[in-house]
Amino acid sequence: MVITQLGLENAWQGPTNDWGFSTLTISEAFQLEGRFILLHPTYSQYTTDSALPTSGLWQHWLDDPPVSIDVNYWPWGGFFSALRFAESLKEALENT
């Protein structure tokens, strides 16, 4: 809903689960075209700026550096979380 309201289109057009996400194979992921957006879950100590984008696989996959969103929001938190995510996404895209 948020990306649609911002006039963007999700590169993944396949099915999703009841929570709105999918687990993709590497083959499916490599077929996607568009800008990659890296969300930093603040509740995870394992995902950092240097972990994923600097791995060997990602170095060959991404033409552009990913857009990075560091804002603390709860993905399943309703309207106010969606608003906070939309504002953060808009700001991140404007700053790239």
Side-chain angles (χ1 to χ4, degrees), residues 38-81:
L38 181 61
L39 305 176
H40 296 274
T42 57
Y43 49 84
S44 173
Q45 61 181 327
Y46 302 108
T47 304
T48 66
D49 275 337
S50 61
L52 293 176
T54 58
S55 74
L57 179 63
W58 284 48
Q59 290 295 317
H60 298 288
W61 181 23
L62 302 175
D63 292 330
D64 297 319
V67 173
S68 183
I69 299 176
D70 297 327
V71 173
N72 182 11
Y73 65 93
W74 182 243
W76 303 284
F79 175 76
F80 292 108
S81 289

